[in-house]
Amino acid sequence: MLLASLLLAAAPALSPVIADPRRGPSGWQVVRADEPLPAQGAEGYLLLLPASPAEPGQGWLEAAVALAARRVPVVAVGPVPPPASVLPYVDGFAPEPPPQPGALSELQGRLGGMPVVVAVGDPEAAVAALAAGAASVLIGHPDPAWVGELGGLLPEPQAARAGTRELATAMRPADLATVVGLPAGFPGGAVVLPGPWYGGATLLADGRRAVALKKSAAGATCALPPLPDGGVLVAARPAEAGAAFENVAVSGERLPSAAEVLARHQRAAARQERVAPRWSGEQRLLVRVWVAELSRSFEVALAGPAFWEHAVGTDWEITRAWVDGVSWDPDNLPDLPLLEPQRAPVPPLTLRLQSSYRYELVGVEQRQGRRCYALTFADERPGGPARHGTAYIDAAAFGLVELDEVAEGLPDEVRATRSVTSYRAVELGGETLWLPSNVVADDLLSVFGGSATVHRELELSGLVIDAPGFAPDRAAAYARDHRMFRDGLAGVVPLVPDGRGGRIPGGTTGRSQRFLIAGAAYDPGFSIPVPYGGIQIQDFDFRHRGDQLRLLVAGVINDAAFSTRRGDADLSLRAFVQLLPFSNSLYLGGVEQKGQAVKAMRQSIGAGIAASVGVVRALLDVGFNRLDFSRDDATASNFVLPLGTFEPTVRLQGEAALGPVTASLMGEAGWRANWRAWGLDGSETPQKSWQRDRLLVVYEKAVFLLAKLHLDAEAWTGHDLDRFSAPAPSRFGDLRIRGIASDRVLPERLGVVRASLALPLSPTIRAEAGVDAGWVHDITGQYRAQPLSGFSFGLTAPGPWGTLVQGAIGYPLATPGPRRPTVELFMLRPLAHK
């Protein structure tokens, strides 16, 4: 015989017979959701539903999940079935009043296959209900003799009879036995079984006793005594000599619905919180910010002990810190306002009666070697950020294995984010728990009218569940002077001393930072080293209105940017002021052209509007440049200077964070209000308008702690470019190539690939080696599809007076003209913010 079995993993099994706690002693308990939950220890719970037409509320749902977290069955009891959204949270439904056996099939159809539990009064009604399809029966004072004999009953085509009365009769598939239910008050007498092919019979009533069978062509008959409480008669089928019954079970798994997967996960999560209410471990966060305008990234790493407790969150003590791979005093770091984006008010898998998310089960996938249900979710609330993603839920234990979340249209600095949270399996007391392992996130930011991308890696290690020293270890962390943060449902908030040796949420992370900067750069394109120094201010809440202000005052070069939010768009203003002219020379084929050096000075002002479209940050900027020229000591007397002019410009740029890859596409054009022939004897054709385009793709990865791999590819092209609009490689310009001197070539088309690796040499020194290779087509026609290449080696180390010092020396491998080294030095000192 074939036995079909549809399985849903982790669903608690209902016993065929349950002692009804409403009618006598029982291992089960009756629970009302509006009363305190009983102490655990029951074999199962009958959870009363509100009277019709009221529907279960959030409190009822939370009670159902809390009871199920005890890993026992929960059966809803009420006059009408609970709503379809609630059904996956219980293991069965017991209708009150109980239906007749003939109505069970229709009720199961309305419940979508939900197990039905029927209250009965005697053994005959129990056999009838189970044979009709009930999963379990509730009965007061069940006789232990027959409780274990009623599993998996199926209807028997013919009924047993006692006189003219038909008795409830079923077949037991496990051994093909016929099971007959005998009512309470059975007077005794002959019972005729449906056929003669039985080998023996057993009466189950106040114990087990064999009953003699009298066989005839009409059927097998047995004589039974009076049974005041009823009983069960089991008639066994005979087997041929030397043979045994073969029972073939065909098991198949039906894919559950999305609602079932979500409900089973929420019940498993509640169970895990009971088993592991707290844990401690070591937490490390790496934050890497890529700033497109500077063509470089900055890194900060923080580490220290973490303490997680249910309903509190994670309290994290910062005991170690690194800046750009160099060890730093964790208590003297500037405040970091861009640690994470705004979180969802309701996380996607949170237990809610009326969920704001739409769920869909899209299949089964492998994650971390486990078979997982892939459950997609999307926020359906109108307005606000768009949130969607996929949860990978263990098909065996229903724990969360991985969560991939995307949020777009966020209201603060972070406008779009994608995070992947991974969990690791931990065995505890025979149970599989899924504890957090790491989070990898990539954010797209709106900063000072431009954009930046942030890569975050959070890693947890050495997790210890419910350690005896949890409370004293956390208290010791509270008492120390290090910075602490709490990562809870509301996000990350500082923990400040409460004056009694503890910590409380309070204060805010700084929204404004100030830095002293200084440095110098030299390459063969400069006549002397170019020093710079001053102060940089970055305020992400300017005048406490949510606006952003960036200000760089560095003497010769000064820069400012302001942005404000208006609806879904950012409006920005920018300005650049150059106080002294820089000398600019012309090189052809690497040879400086005598007499053509010019001093140039540029000022600019502009306004922009930026908006996010999905994971893309788009910017439209319109501005004016003011170009002024003067003679150098070496300028030839017959060199006609370009006219000082206003240069209207327009720039359209899009940037996207795609995991560890940042992609940027820019188009820019300019027009010169008055421009005439210039150069030696006025031989240069005046280009009154120009256009240039750039594509940049950047990949960065933390190979291991404090080690960074950088790869990027950049392409430039343009039309009608001249000496003052071509994207020339330089120390202070938009384009840099390691080892290549400033203004050595004037590209019309240029492609560059770069690779570098930064490695820690000691706790206080990190080295970086890199090589660039490019191919250039010069606007002068002197350098066509020729290579440009160079390498550099740099060190980062802490300097005096709390500074961070970075120095690098580069050397050209392929370049026009003589090969000479380039040198750069940069110093930064954070200033305390009050």
Side-chain angles (χ1 to χ4, degrees):
M1 178 180 179
L2 299 180
L3 174 63
S5 175
L6 298 179
L7 305 175
L8 182 58
L14 290 171
S15 172
V17 179
I18 300 171
D20 194 336
R22 300 167 296 181
R23 294 175 175 84
S26 174
W28 282 58
Q29 288 183 273
V30 179
V31 178
R32 305 181 68 94
D34 56 354
E35 297 177 354
L37 298 183
Q40 64 180 23
E43 297 173 5
Y45 299 96
L46 301 180
L47 181 60
L48 302 183
L49 285 161
S52 181
E55 293 189 353
Q58 182 69 22
W60 189 95
L61 185 65
E62 292 175 358
V65 172
L67 294 171
R70 302 175 181 184
R71 194 155 285 181
V72 293
V74 178
V75 174
V77 181
V80 294
S85 61
V86 172
L87 286 177
Y89 292 91
V90 293
D91 302 298
F93 169 61
E96 288 290 345
Q100 294 298 316
L104 282 177
S105 177
E106 187 272 337
L107 177 60
Q108 286 178 319
R110 287 193 288 126
L111 293 173
M114 163 69 65
V116 176
V117 180
V118 178
V120 297
D122 60 19
E124 182 185 34
V127 172
L130 292 171
S136 299
V137 292
L138 285 164
I139 186 169
H141 304 283
D143 189 334
W146 54 262
V147 163
E149 301 288 334
L150 304 187
L153 299 186
L154 297 175
E156 182 75 70
Q158 292 180 280
R161 300 186 312 279
T164 59
R165 178 182 176 182
E166 290 189 347
L167 301 172
T169 307
M171 182 179 67
R172 192 165 61 190
D175 56 4
L176 305 183
T178 294
V179 179
V180 181
L182 304 169
F186 181 70
V191 173
V192 181
L193 297 171
W197 48 83
Y198 298 98
T202 302
L203 177 63
L204 305 174
D206 293 327
R208 302 172 65 92
R209 72 188 82 168
V211 178
L213 285 176
K214 182 179 179 181
K215 299 180 182 180
S216 67
T221 304
C222 57
L224 302 181
L227 302 171
D229 297 323
V232 173
L233 178 66
V234 178
R237 310 274 185 182
E240 297 179 7
F245 286 113
E246 180 178 357
N247 185 22
V248 180
V250 179
S251 296
E253 181 190 27
R254 72 172 174 92
L255 279 179
S257 67
E260 289 174 316
V261 171
L262 180 63
R264 292 297 172 191
H265 162 68
Q266 291 169 341
R267 295 172 69 168
R271 172 68 178 174
Q272 179 166 310
E273 289 178 356
R274 292 182 60 87
V275 175
R278 60 190 64 85
W279 52 255
S280 57
E282 181 76 8
Q283 181 166 285
R284 178 179 64 84
L285 173 67
L286 171 68
V287 180
R288 182 169 59 245
V289 183
W290 170 263
V291 184
E293 292 181 352
L294 302 178
S295 298
R296 64 157 296 173
S297 63
F298 300 90
E299 288 182 341
V300 174
L302 309 172
F307 306 88
W308 178 87
E309 186 172 15
H310 172 56
V312 174
T314 303
D315 289 349
W316 184 29
E317 180 188 15
I318 310 300
T319 60
R320 301 184 307 284
W322 298 265
V323 176
D324 272 352
V326 173
S327 181
W328 200 270
D329 182 354
D331 299 321
N332 287 326
L333 281 172
D335 288 329
L336 303 171
L338 302 176
L339 287 177
E340 64 168 23
Q342 186 185 82
R343 295 186 181 177
V346 178
L349 302 180
T350 301
L351 177 65
R352 301 287 291 180
L353 182 65
Q354 300 296 333
S355 177
S356 59
Y357 290 87
R358 180 184 71 255
Y359 301 95
E360 181 181 357
L361 182 64
V362 295
V364 178
E365 298 187 23
Q366 292 287 326
R367 285 294 186 278
Q368 301 185 40
R370 305 283 291 211
R371 189 167 177 270
C372 298
Y373 295 122
L375 185 70
T376 64
F377 56 87
D379 194 346
E380 291 191 317
R381 289 171 296 182
R387 301 179 185 271
H388 59 91
T390 304
Y392 298 91
I393 297 173
D394 186 13
F398 283 89
L400 182 59
V401 179
E402 187 176 295
L403 184 66
D404 188 339
E405 296 181 89
V406 176
E408 301 166 357
L410 297 172
D412 296 323
E413 293 92 353
V414 181
R415 298 301 158 85
T417 182
R418 181 195 176 190
S419 64
V420 178
T421 305
S422 300
Y423 298 79
R424 65 165 66 95
V426 176
E427 298 296 327
L428 180 67
E431 298 194 38
T432 301
L433 309 180
W434 288 93
L435 299 182
S437 173
N438 62 75
V439 181
V440 177
D442 292 282
D443 309 326
L444 181 63
L445 279 64
S446 170
V447 287
F448 314 116
S451 60
T453 59
V454 173
H455 178 78
R456 295 178 285 123
E457 295 183 19
L458 181 68
E459 182 176 329
L460 285 154
S461 60
L463 295 186
V464 179
I465 299 174
D466 205 11
F470 178 90
D473 288 347
R474 184 173 63 178
Y478 287 165
R480 290 190 285 264
D481 294 331
H482 296 307
R483 292 186 183 186
M484 290 195 73
F485 294 93
R486 173 167 293 169
D487 189 351
L489 293 178
V492 177
V493 297
L495 289 179
V496 297
D498 62 2
R500 300 184 299 273
R503 299 267 183 154
I504 58 173
T508 59
T509 56
R511 308 288 290 174
S512 177
Q513 299 85 44
R514 293 175 295 166
F515 303 92
L516 290 177
I517 61 172
Y522 172 77
D523 69 35
F526 299 150
S527 57
I528 59 172
V530 178
Y532 59 90
I535 186 170
Q536 183 174 35
I537 298 173
Q538 297 182 148
D539 193 336
F540 292 89
D541 191 17
F542 183 56
R543 296 187 300 174
H544 305 290
R545 296 182 179 181
D547 300 332
Q548 296 180 356
L549 175 68
R550 182 190 69 204
L551 181 63
L552 171 65
V553 180
V556 176
I557 297 175
N558 305 277
D559 177 78
F562 170 84
S563 68
T564 184
R565 190 75 183 267
R566 291 293 183 269
D568 294 331
D570 293 294
L571 305 180
S572 62
L573 297 172
R574 60 173 176 82
F576 174 83
V577 177
Q578 181 180 337
L579 298 183
L580 294 175
F582 287 162
S583 182
N584 176 279
S585 298
L586 176 65
Y587 292 84
L588 294 179
V591 178
E592 183 179 1
Q593 303 302 294
K594 301 300 182 180
Q596 298 199 50
V598 176
K599 287 184 178 180
M601 190 159 62
R602 179 189 300 264
Q603 326 292 337
S604 68
I605 189 171
I609 181 170
S612 296
V613 182
V615 297
V616 177
R617 183 74 178 160
L619 167 68
L620 175 63
D621 181 274
V622 177
F624 291 90
N625 295 330
R626 172 63 191 184
L627 303 178
D628 290 289
F629 305 93
S630 59
R631 294 182 177 276
D632 189 277
D633 292 341
T635 307
S637 59
N638 62 335
F639 186 92
V640 178
L641 288 175
L643 287 176
T645 183
F646 285 99
E647 185 180 60
T649 62
V650 60
R651 174 167 55 97
L652 181 62
Q653 181 171 337
E655 186 164 330
L658 307 172
V661 175
T662 299
S664 176
L665 180 63
M666 181 200 72
E668 186 177 19
W671 298 265
R672 286 156 181 167
N674 53 346
W675 199 248
R676 67 179 184 185
W678 56 279
L680 291 175
D681 298 321
S683 59
E684 296 287 347
T685 302
Q687 302 289 356
K688 293 191 176 182
S689 63
W690 51 266
Q691 175 186 336
R692 58 188 186 188
D693 310 286
R694 184 189 70 170
L695 172 64
L696 173 65
V697 179
V698 179
Y699 172 87
E700 288 193 326
K701 178 179 178 60
V703 182
F704 54 86
L705 181 62
L706 309 181
K708 179 178 70 176
L709 173 67
H710 173 99
L711 301 171
D712 76 59
E714 183 174 11
W716 285 84
T717 185
H719 299 284
D720 301 325
L721 301 175
D722 60 19
R723 182 173 163 183
F724 306 107
S725 58
S730 65
R731 301 272 73 74
F732 297 104
D734 296 326
L735 174 66
R736 297 178 61 187
I737 301 178
R738 287 180 172 88
I740 301 301
S742 296
D743 301 322
R744 190 54 56 92
V745 294
L746 299 172
E748 183 180 45
R749 294 188 298 274
L750 174 70
V752 183
V753 292
R754 303 178 180 90
S756 65
L757 180 63
L759 297 171
L761 301 182
S762 74
T764 57
I765 299 177
R766 184 166 79 164
E768 181 176 16
V771 61
D772 298 352
W775 292 263
V776 64
H777 188 288
D778 197 298
I779 63 172
T780 65
Q782 298 292 318
Y783 209 60
R784 296 178 177 271
Q786 295 297 313
L788 288 176
S789 181
F791 72 91
S792 70
F793 178 81
L795 295 175
T796 300
W801 309 297
T803 60
L804 180 73
V805 179
Q806 295 179 326
I809 183 168
Y811 194 79
L813 298 176
T815 183
R819 299 180 183 178
R820 295 176 183 171
T822 64
V823 180
E824 297 179 67
L825 180 66
F826 175 76
M827 298 179 65
L828 177 143
R829 185 183 189 278
L831 297 177
H833 175 70
K834 302 296 184 182

